[in-house]
Amino acid sequence: MIAVMMGISAVITAMGVTSLLGYHLELSNFIINVIPMVGMALSTDFALIILSRYREELQRVYEDEGKANVTGSSLDMQSEVLRSEILQRTLRTAGRAVLFSAACVLLGLLGLLWIRLPMFLSVSLGAIIVLLLSLLLNVTLLPALLSLSADRVFRRKLVHLLPRSSVWHRWSAMVMKRPVSMAIGGTVVLLLCVYPVTRLELSVPDASSLPERMESRQAAEQLQYDLGQKDTSAIEILIGGQQERLTASHWQMAHNKARQLLQDSDVLSIVSPWGLLQPNQTGSQSLFRIPPSSLTPSIEGKQSTRTAWLRSTVSEHSIRLIATVHGGLVRNRLQTGMNE
């Protein structure tokens, strides 16, 4: 019950911190699901590690005192000093394990920050917040609760230490006796589990990723059936940023990316500032003439098909390319374009 309380406390606190950050940052709605999932798992796990170690230390004290016929409630006799020693031994062992465990999880979550997509940044931020709060609560609040009510919590729940003939004792002894061979064996098992990933096929998320009962998926499939081509997906590529105005280097990047996409056999067409481009289209270099940096002011107020097309694909800060891809497969060279 105490472990569950730690998990609930971490989740509620993380939700409060995240709601305050929401006033200053744009966060994905996935963060609402990530915080309870990660918070309950990590905080409960940390609490169980500390509680289990505290119970073992308390059991040793009871066994030592049992020789003198001391009952469980008689811990009050030496209480403060004894509880302090038990807590210190617990935090020196289990507390250190919890700290290193949290550090390993933190390193993994920091890897998500390298994925330059808002959803992953929000997921990483929410998970890191609840991880740090879980660690903080379990090394501060949990020991405080144990120092106040450990006697009542563990009075009837103490268990005997594992006998030396138990399965877990024999297994741990075997692992420690052959650390190198066990490490190699564990690595081989992990590699076998990872092997199916080599045959993983990546695709662009579309309506098929939603449940069949969703109206949005049904509508998308109906539109695709009536108006679209079968087994195609649209990949939108934005070149530029939100702060910097377009420069000649941005146009050169868009120029190179459009030519690169036209050489891909899975690309059916590209909506670009130069018009609707197709792989079998042949033309001179003027087709890809790079407009001047003052393009946006030059087309303001003009009414023509060309200027309307430019307004739909070019803004002051970005150039928009939309590639229609056969089969929805994302090749490595397209993934590079999506992140630019």
Side-chain angles (χ1 to χ4, degrees):
M1 191 63 184
I2 293 181
V4 176
M5 289 172 56
M6 291 296 102
I8 295 174
S9 301
V11 170
I12 294 176
T13 309
M15 285 290 191
V17 173
T18 306
S19 64
L20 294 177
L21 291 177
Y23 288 103
H24 308 283
L25 301 174
E26 292 185 6
L27 301 176
S28 171
N29 58 348
F30 285 103
I31 201 171
I32 301 175
N33 306 101
V34 170
I35 288 178
M37 177 178 63
V38 176
M40 289 300 297
L42 291 178
S43 190
T44 303
D45 184 46
F46 293 163
L48 288 175
I49 293 174
I50 294 176
L51 289 172
S52 177
R53 182 62 182 181
Y54 187 89
R55 175 182 291 182
E56 291 179 4
E57 295 293 339
L58 197 61
Q59 180 69 38
R60 288 192 179 95
V61 172
Y62 280 138
E63 289 181 350
D64 293 340
E65 296 294 338
K67 298 176 181 178
N69 296 323
V70 179
T71 61
S73 60
S74 65
L75 269 180
D76 295 334
M77 44 157 206
Q78 315 171 8
S79 47
E80 295 302 328
V81 175
L82 196 53
R83 283 200 194 91
S84 178
E85 291 179 356
I86 294 175
L87 278 175
Q88 288 178 15
R89 289 198 297 267
T90 300
L91 293 179
R92 278 198 302 263
T93 53
R96 186 179 302 173
V98 166
L99 180 61
F100 278 99
S101 177
C104 293
V105 177
L106 179 62
L107 289 176
L109 293 175
L110 289 176
L112 292 177
L113 298 177
W114 293 97
I115 304 176
R116 295 179 295 172
L117 293 175
M119 182 187 72
F120 288 98
L121 293 176
S122 297
V123 168
S124 177
L125 180 62
I128 289 174
I129 290 174
V130 75
L131 168 65
L132 296 178
L133 288 173
S134 299
L135 176 63
L136 184 63
L137 288 173
N138 280 284
V139 297
T140 56
L141 180 59
L142 182 57
L145 292 176
L146 290 176
S147 66
L148 294 175
S149 58
D151 291 342
R152 292 192 297 271
V153 172
F154 293 108
R155 182 173 298 173
R156 294 186 179 87
K157 297 182 180 179
L158 293 175
V159 295
H160 295 287
L161 298 176
L162 289 174
R164 294 187 176 273
S165 59
S166 68
V167 175
W168 296 115
H169 183 273
R170 292 196 299 271
W171 173 258
S172 61
M174 182 177 65
V175 171
M176 289 186 291
K177 187 177 180 180
R178 305 175 182 84
V180 177
S181 59
M182 295 300 292
I184 295 175
T187 303
V188 171
V189 172
L190 290 177
L191 291 176
L192 290 176
C193 294
V194 174
Y195 174 74
V197 178
T198 58
R199 293 179 290 177
L200 180 67
E201 292 186 359
L202 302 179
S203 63
V204 178
D206 55 15
S208 62
S209 62
L210 299 173
E212 294 182 357
R213 65 178 184 278
M214 297 288 292
E215 293 182 359
S216 54
R217 173 175 177 174
Q218 297 173 5
E221 290 177 346
Q222 189 64 37
L223 287 173
Q224 186 75 14
Y225 178 79
D226 295 337
L227 304 175
Q229 293 178 299
K230 187 177 180 181
D231 296 331
T232 61
S233 299
I235 300 176
E236 184 171 347
I237 304 171
L238 290 178
I239 299 175
Q242 296 181 350
Q243 305 296 332
E244 182 184 1
R245 287 180 175 272
L246 290 180
T247 62
S249 62
H250 292 111
W251 283 103
Q252 188 64 46
M253 188 182 301
H255 167 273
N256 295 336
K257 183 55 61 180
R259 284 193 172 278
Q260 181 184 6
L261 292 175
L262 287 176
Q263 297 174 1
D264 194 299
S265 59
D266 285 328
V267 175
L268 302 178
S269 63
I270 305 173
V271 176
S272 72
W274 298 278
L276 181 64
L277 308 178
Q278 295 179 337
N280 57 359
Q281 188 174 4
T282 58
S284 62
Q285 291 292 332
S286 62
L287 175 66
F288 287 97
R289 181 170 55 86
I290 298 177
S293 59
S294 58
L295 171 69
T296 302
S298 67
I299 65 176
E300 289 182 353
K302 296 184 179 181
Q303 299 295 332
S304 67
T305 304
R306 175 61 178 165
T307 55
W309 184 278
L310 284 173
R311 290 193 188 101
S312 66
T313 55
V314 181
S315 68
E316 293 183 355
H317 306 287
S318 63
I319 303 172
R320 185 173 176 233
L321 303 176
I322 304 177
T324 302
V325 183
H326 176 72
L329 294 178
V330 182
R331 296 181 181 273
N332 291 334
R333 48 184 175 273
L334 291 185
Q335 289 178 330
T336 302
M338 291 177 68
N339 292 327
E340 290 178 350

